[in-house]
Amino acid sequence: MKETRQAARRRGHRPGPWALAPVALVAAGALVCLAAACRPGHRTDAEHTAATAVAGSRATAAPGRASSAASASPAATRSPGPAVSPTSAPAAKARPSAAPARPSASRTSRATTTTASLVGRIRPGTGYRGVATTYDAGTGEGGSCSYGPSDDLMTAAMNHTDYETSKACGAYVLVRAADGATVTVRITNECPTGCAPGQLDLSAQAFARLADPSAGRIPVTWELLSPGDSDTVALRYKTGSSRYWCAVQVLGHRNPVARLELRTGGGWRRLPRTDYNYFLAEDGGGCGGTIRVTDIYGERLTVDGIALRPDAVQATRLQFARH
């Protein structure tokens, strides 16, 4: 206002009170507007409209997501991409073995769930009831699982039903007697059809851990194990294998094996399993190439560089995870 009067004096004109009134009204109005705009919580119509549009776009950008960031999983904050199936899970580091083996294994990948198609009659976390009998396992040679001689005589033959065309081969089982005595055995053989479902035919050495051998037959319960102490997986081509016919066996696996596949020009080829615990490629397709082994938990071990040498045990640096 001071500047206005001085300018008027310079022009030789002194403003009257009626000329000052509009200026005063404008100034008062400006002060009122400023006071209203600075009031906490005030939002202009333009600001309100813009905020509403932004909020609406956020709500519709990802329908169905939780509104609270604290309750959202880390995966929800990632940009959307193609769905990843368990069979194409990211590669996991191979577990180191106690004794380094030749570099014949490429990588592992782990699925997150156990599917019904992988699990057979013997299921993780399930208890089974039956009887335990005993037989002379000798050195383990000649068992249905075709493992051959072994210094470990804590073994058992699985009844025909639960043997399931050799799917039980190599499984570790914790057996418990009625008085609480326990023994862990590895399945290396098949008990003939005379054995009822749930029955285990234990080696004489294993049976003696549960009861006096003279008892001959005792009630037991048993369940599948995933042992902590385990060597690395090995592979073996059967005698007579070539590029025109081959059979592959998995040895030293911590968990039961569900599938074995060979890589061919057309992709992965799943081999059928025999009751003598080999996976068979009758036309030779994929023999001598990359091998992929899957356990009942869905974990896959992919092995490169296994030579097609019949009846030779070839070690890897891989092992299935413990469950």
Side-chain angles (χ1 to χ4, degrees), residues 105-253:
S106 59
R107 67 184 181 89
T108 70
S109 61
R110 185 174 306 164
T112 57
T113 58
T114 303
T115 63
S117 62
L118 296 177
V119 177
R121 288 182 55 85
I122 303 175
R123 307 182 65 86
T126 303
Y128 298 87
R129 187 178 302 276
V131 296
T133 50
T134 182
Y135 79 109
D136 183 8
T139 62
E141 193 169 9
S144 297
C145 294
S146 307
Y147 288 138
S150 173
D151 295 333
D152 180 13
L153 295 179
M154 292 296 107
T155 60
M158 181 63 71
N159 68 82
H160 173 75
T161 302
D162 295 323
Y163 183 75
E164 200 174 2
T165 316
S166 79
K167 196 165 188 175
C169 286
Y172 289 88
V173 171
L174 175 65
V175 188
R176 181 177 285 104
D179 63 358
T182 62
V183 64
T184 298
V185 296
R186 185 169 64 103
I187 304 302
T188 61
N189 208 344
E190 177 185 10
C191 188
T193 54
C195 287
Q199 183 173 346
L200 294 171
D201 208 18
L202 305 179
S203 68
Q205 293 82 354
F207 189 92
R209 299 281 185 92
L210 301 179
D212 190 290
S214 62
R217 183 184 181 95
I218 60 172
V220 294
T221 57
W222 55 273
E223 60 186 290
L224 184 67
L225 283 185
S226 182
D229 184 18
S230 184
D231 202 353
T232 54
V233 169
L235 297 169
R236 174 166 59 189
Y237 279 103
K238 197 178 189 311
T239 302
S241 292
S242 69
R243 292 192 178 276
Y244 306 101
W245 178 95
C246 71
V248 188
Q249 183 183 45
V250 187
L251 305 165
H253 45 92

Side-chain angles (χ1 to χ4, degrees), residues 73-97:
S73 65
T77 63
R78 298 173 184 168
S79 59
V84 179
S85 66
T87 60
S88 58
K93 293 183 179 179
R95 291 176 174 266
S97 60

Side-chain angles (χ1 to χ4, degrees), residues 3-32:
E3 293 177 357
T4 302
R5 289 173 180 170
Q6 288 174 349
R9 290 193 187 103
R10 292 192 200 102
R11 294 193 299 269
H13 178 75
R14 184 170 183 170
W18 59 87
L20 294 176
V23 177
L25 289 174
V26 171
L31 290 174
V32 171

Side-chain angles (χ1 to χ4, degrees), residues 197-319:
Q199 183 173 346
L200 294 171
D201 208 18
L202 305 179
S203 68
Q205 293 82 354
F207 189 92
R209 299 281 185 92
L210 301 179
D212 190 290
S214 62
R217 183 184 181 95
I218 60 172
V220 294
T221 57
W222 55 273
E223 60 186 290
L224 184 67
L225 283 185
S226 182
D229 184 18
S230 184
D231 202 353
T232 54
V233 169
L235 297 169
R236 174 166 59 189
Y237 279 103
K238 197 178 189 311
T239 302
S241 292
S242 69
R243 292 192 178 276
Y244 306 101
W245 178 95
C246 71
V248 188
Q249 183 183 45
V250 187
L251 305 165
H253 45 92
R254 171 182 277 129
N255 306 319
V257 171
R259 293 177 182 171
L260 186 142
E261 299 163 285
L262 302 181
R263 191 194 295 275
T264 67
W268 289 105
R269 176 191 184 187
R270 181 180 174 183
L271 300 187
R273 191 171 196 161
T274 67
D275 59 0
Y276 53 88
N277 196 32
Y278 275 84
F279 294 85
L280 186 61
E282 292 189 280
D283 61 0
C287 295
T290 303
I291 299 172
R292 187 165 73 178
V293 185
T294 307
D295 70 2
I296 62 171
Y297 297 96
E299 183 177 0
R300 290 173 173 173
L301 309 181
T302 304
V303 186
D304 298 309
I306 293 293
L308 211 169
R309 297 205 309 267
D311 204 29
V313 176
Q314 301 184 61
T316 74
R317 292 176 295 175
L318 303 178
Q319 181 55 271

